[in-house]
C-alpha cells in the first residue's frame, strides 16, 4: 500500500470520537475514547489532521446523509487528506442495517488509500482481502448488535406499556408519573386547564368559541402561543382525560387506566355536543 509511511513522511490520521446511546455514554464516554486515542497516538506516532467528534445522541445506525461526522470524513477522504482512520472501536464507524451504507464507510478508507485502526492497534487494510473480510464481519456484527438492542428496547417498552406504566414519552396534560412508585397522578395545574375546556364544551360552545375564550383568559397552551379550534377538538375527543390512556409502541396501542380528570357525565355531554355539531 503506497502511503505516507513509504515516503518517510509522518502518517496523517483522523480520529472519530462518538457515542450514540446512554449505555455507550456511560460505558465508553468520549473522555475514555480520547484517552485511548491519545495513547494510540503515542504508540503509533503520526500527525493528527482532525479529531471528528460527534456529541451523543446520533445513532450509528443512521445513513450517511444523517451522520455529520461521516460526511466530514467523506470530505477529507475525497481530498486524500489522511492515511489512517483511528477509532476507539470499529463499531464506532457504522452500525447501519443497509450493507451499502456500511460499505460506503469502507469506501472512504479505500478512496483515501488509508487503513482503519482501533484503540488496541488492530488494523483493517482495504487493500487486503483479509481487511475486507474483517470489516465485513465487524460491521455486520455491529449492525446485528444494534438490531438486538432495538429489539430488546422495543420488547421492554411493550412490557412497560402492557403493565400500564409510562413508556417515558411526554406525559399528557394534567397527568404525572412517579417512576419510583410506578403510580399515575394528577397535575392540578394542567388538570385545571383541561377541566376549563371541557366545562365550556359542556355548555355547548363550539371549539372555535372555546379557543377564543381560552386566549382571552390568557391561558397559554403547552406548545404554542395561542389555542386553535383543532387542538381544542383533539383534546375533547381524547379518552385519556376520562381515565383511558393509550400508548403506542412499534405500531401497537396499549390502553391503561389513569386518574380521570373529567367525570363520565361531563365526558358524555361533551361527546354528544361534538357529535351533534358534526351531524
Amino acid at each position: 500500500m503506497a502511503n505516507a509511511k513509504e515516503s518517510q513522511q509522518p502518517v496523517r490520521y483522523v480520529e472519530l470520537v462518538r457515542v450514540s446511546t446512554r449505555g455507550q455514554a456511560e460505558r465508553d464516554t468520549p473522555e475514555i475514547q480520547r484517552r485511548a486515542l491519545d495513547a494510540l497516538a503515542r504508540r503509533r506516532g503520526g500527525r493528527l489532521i482532525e479529531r471528528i467528534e460527534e456529541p451523543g445522541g446520533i445513532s450509528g445506525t443512521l445513513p450517511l446523509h444523517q451522520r455529520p461526522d461521516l460526511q466530514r470524513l467523506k470530505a477529507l477522504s475525497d481530498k486524500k487528506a489522511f492515511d489512517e482512520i483511528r477509532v476507539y472501536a470499529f463499531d464506532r464507524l457504522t452500525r447501519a442495517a443497509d450493507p451499502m451504507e456500511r460499505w460506503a464507510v469502507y469506501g472512504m478508507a479505500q478512496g483515501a488509500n488509508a487503513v482503519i485502526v482501533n484503540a488496541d492497534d488492530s488494523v483493517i487494510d482495504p487493500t487486503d482481502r483479509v481487511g475486507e473480510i474483517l470489516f465485513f464481519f465487524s460491521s455486520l456484527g455491529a449492525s446485528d448488535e444494534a438490531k438486538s438492542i432495538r429489539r430488546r428496547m422495543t420488547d421492554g417498552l411493550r412490557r412497560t406499556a402492557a403493565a400500564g406504566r409510562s413508556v417515558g414519552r411526554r406525559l399528557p396534560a394534567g397527568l404525572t408519573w412517579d417512576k419510583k412508585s410506578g403510580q399515575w397522578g394528577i397535575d392540578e395545574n394542567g388538570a385545571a386547564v383541561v377541566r376549563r375546556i371541557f366545562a365550556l364544551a359542556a355548555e355547548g360552545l363550539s371549539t372555535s368559541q372555546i379557543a377564543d375564550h381560552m386566549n382571552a383568559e390568557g391561558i397559554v397552551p403547552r406548545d404554542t402561543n395561542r389555542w386553535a379550534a383543532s387542538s381544542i377538538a383533539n383534546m375533547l375527543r381524547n379518552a385519556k382525560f376520562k381515565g383511558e390512556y393509550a400508548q403506542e409502541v412499534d405500531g401497537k396501542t396499549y390502553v391503561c387506566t389513569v386518574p380521570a380528570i373529567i367525570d363520565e357525565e361531563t365526558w358524555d355531554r361533551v361527546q354528544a355536543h361534538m357529535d351533534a355539531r358534526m351531524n
Side-chain angles (χ1 to χ4, degrees):
M1 175 177 177
N3 60 22
K5 283 186 176 180
E6 296 178 357
S7 61
Q8 303 303 312
Q9 296 297 319
V11 172
R12 304 165 303 159
Y13 65 92
V14 293
E15 297 176 343
L16 266 71
V17 176
R18 60 173 300 280
V19 295
S20 61
T21 66
R22 181 177 299 174
Q24 281 187 357
E26 293 171 351
R27 183 178 68 252
D28 304 328
T29 64
E31 185 54 38
I32 290 175
Q33 294 182 47
R34 294 186 202 105
R35 288 200 299 267
L37 290 171
D38 288 344
L40 181 63
R42 288 192 292 270
R43 294 194 302 272
R44 293 183 68 88
R47 177 165 63 92
L48 175 64
I49 300 301
E50 186 173 334
R51 173 175 281 175
I52 304 171
E53 187 160 344
E54 200 64 37
I58 297 182
S59 173
T61 64
L62 293 175
L64 176 60
H65 72 274
Q66 294 181 24
R67 291 276 305 274
D69 54 341
L70 293 186
Q71 291 174 30
R72 178 56 184 161
L73 183 65
K74 178 65 166 60
L76 292 172
S77 171
D78 290 343
K79 296 177 181 178
K80 299 187 184 301
F82 54 81
D83 308 302
E84 292 184 357
I85 301 171
R86 298 183 183 179
V87 291
Y88 179 76
F90 291 136
D91 66 2
R92 287 297 181 272
L93 283 168
T94 177
R95 292 187 171 193
D98 186 346
M100 295 298 291
E101 291 287 343
R102 299 199 299 272
W103 284 111
V105 178
Y106 183 80
M108 294 177 197
Q110 198 170 43
N113 200 25
V115 298
I116 306 170
V117 187
N118 72 8
D120 66 3
D121 290 288
S122 297
V123 177
I124 291 177
D125 186 343
T127 66
D128 184 354
R129 179 55 58 91
V130 174
E132 185 175 324
I133 294 171
L134 284 174
F135 182 84
F136 173 80
F137 282 108
S138 65
S139 63
L140 179 63
S143 175
D144 288 345
E145 182 185 0
K147 292 176 184 176
S148 178
I149 290 171
R150 286 197 301 271
R151 184 169 59 251
R152 291 197 300 271
M153 290 179 61
T154 300
D155 289 345
L157 289 173
R158 287 196 187 104
R159 290 192 296 270
T160 298
R165 301 168 64 88
S166 171
V167 296
R169 293 165 185 161
R170 190 180 188 192
L171 293 176
L175 290 179
T176 63
W177 170 255
D178 188 325
K179 188 175 181 180
K180 185 175 181 179
S181 66
Q183 298 293 320
W184 292 96
I186 291 182
D187 166 27
E188 290 301 333
N189 290 332
V193 175
V194 174
R195 293 183 184 120
R196 175 59 176 156
I197 290 172
F198 271 84
L200 292 171
E203 294 175 8
L205 273 68
S206 69
T207 54
S208 296
Q209 291 171 324
I210 295 171
D212 291 341
H213 268 273
M214 300 297 287
N215 291 326
E217 293 172 13
I219 302 174
V220 181
R222 290 198 299 179
D223 299 322
T224 60
N225 294 326
R226 293 179 60 80
W227 291 95
S230 58
S231 58
I232 296 292
N234 289 336
M235 288 186 66
L236 295 176
R237 288 297 198 186
N238 201 320
K240 65 190 175 188
F241 297 120
K242 69 166 183 172
E244 300 172 7
Y245 180 37
Q247 300 184 98
E248 185 172 312
V249 178
D250 198 30
K252 185 174 181 180
T253 301
Y254 299 83
V255 179
C256 65
T257 301
V258 296
I261 297 174
I262 303 302
D263 60 74
E264 285 286 346
E265 181 181 353
T266 301
W267 173 265
D268 291 340
R269 186 182 306 125
V270 168
Q271 301 314 304
H273 283 307
M274 298 281 286
D275 291 342
R277 289 185 179 280
M278 288 184 65
N279 293 332

